[in-house]
Amino acid sequence: DTAVSQTPKYLVTQMGNDKSIKCEQNLGHDTMYWYKQDSKKFLKIMFSYNNKELIINETVPNRFSPKSPDKAHLNLHINSLELGDSAVYFCASSQELRSEQYFGPGTRLTVT
Amino acid sequence: GQNIDQPTEMTATEGAIVQINCTYQTSGFNGLFWYQQHAGEAPTFLSYNVLDGLEEKGRFSSFLSRSKGYSYLLLKELQMKDSASYLCAGGGNKLTFGTGTQLKVEL
């Protein structure tokens, strides 16, 4: 039983396209996150939702738009993809904002 | 601001003990986390310290000194499978991750 799942696992697309990544957790957690891990392995938070409400929104281009239809799902839509968006995107969840986080397997996005 | 520092790389021998240090300066503090990340995989939670002192969990222990802004992860009886990146993370409502310490365990 997968705790935090993401689809797709790999995504290869061209510059200028729009794409979405989906995330689901079956842990009953209240808080979900999106992280970006670049080629230097630096893991940086992008967004956090608590009970479907956006609570953390880092300095991320507005081409990135998260959506949480319910507590168990947090999707990430990216418009007008750029080369610099190539990275691994991790979804994570935690029981509450300050507790340990459980990560999904990651989505490796390659923009050509 | 948020600043987490840890060494970039370490090498150790199978069966030995290794200590991975982490210093932090964060606005707000709700504890210090350690995560393990194998190549091509997701980070997995190892430990959490919110009070000063040592927390032991099997072969892994983690220490925190809030007054010094310092933590370490201690790995005992190293195994080849412990070769991974170890991420220190801390902060207030928002976790800031260090860049990770790539540990290589050799025979």
Side-chain angles (χ1 to χ4, degrees), chain B residues 1-4 24-32 89-92 94 96:
Chain B
Q2 318 278 1
N3 195 37
I4 306 271
Y24 65 88
Q25 291 175 309
T26 60
S27 54
F29 182 76
N30 283 309
L32 199 292
K94 179 185 71 178
T96 296

Side-chain angles (χ1 to χ4, degrees), chain A residues 39-90:
Chain A
S39 56
K40 295 184 179 177
K41 307 303 180 189
F42 183 49
L43 193 64
K44 186 169 168 54
I45 190 164
M46 300 172 70
F47 303 101
S48 175
Y49 272 72
N50 188 59
N51 279 317
K52 300 196 301 175
E53 183 182 338
L54 181 66
I55 52 171
I56 294 174
N57 185 351
E58 285 299 280
T59 312
V60 175
N62 56 17
R63 297 181 295 105
F64 290 79
S65 52
K67 276 201 181 140
S68 182
D70 55 58
K71 238 173 53 163
H73 295 84
L74 180 61
N75 304 322
L76 183 66
H77 188 75
I78 315 170
N79 288 327
S80 303
L81 279 156
E82 300 177 357
L83 291 176
D85 297 333
S86 295
V88 180
Y89 291 84
F90 286 103

Side-chain angles (χ1 to χ4, degrees), chain B residues 2-81:
Chain B
Q2 318 278 1
N3 195 37
I4 306 271
D5 285 318
Q6 51 182 131
T8 305
E9 295 177 336
M10 296 183 74
T11 301
T13 306
E14 190 178 36
I17 298 174
V18 71
Q19 177 174 314
I20 303 174
N21 296 324
C22 170
T23 57
Y24 65 88
Q25 291 175 309
T26 60
S27 54
F29 182 76
N30 283 309
L32 199 292
F33 294 85
W34 283 95
Y35 286 81
Q36 180 192 59
Q37 186 176 23
H38 284 100
E41 297 182 10
T44 55
F45 169 74
L46 284 179
S47 69
Y48 171 61
N49 294 67
V50 66
L51 299 175
D52 291 352
L54 189 68
E55 293 276 344
E56 297 188 71
K57 199 187 281 189
R59 294 189 298 115
F60 292 6
S61 303
S62 56
F63 172 84
L64 177 67
S65 168
R66 288 172 296 170
S67 61
K68 294 181 180 176
Y70 167 69
S71 172
Y72 67 73
L73 181 69
L74 193 71
L75 293 78
K76 302 176 187 175
E77 300 170 17
L78 279 172
Q79 301 176 10
M80 298 297 287
K81 67 178 182 179

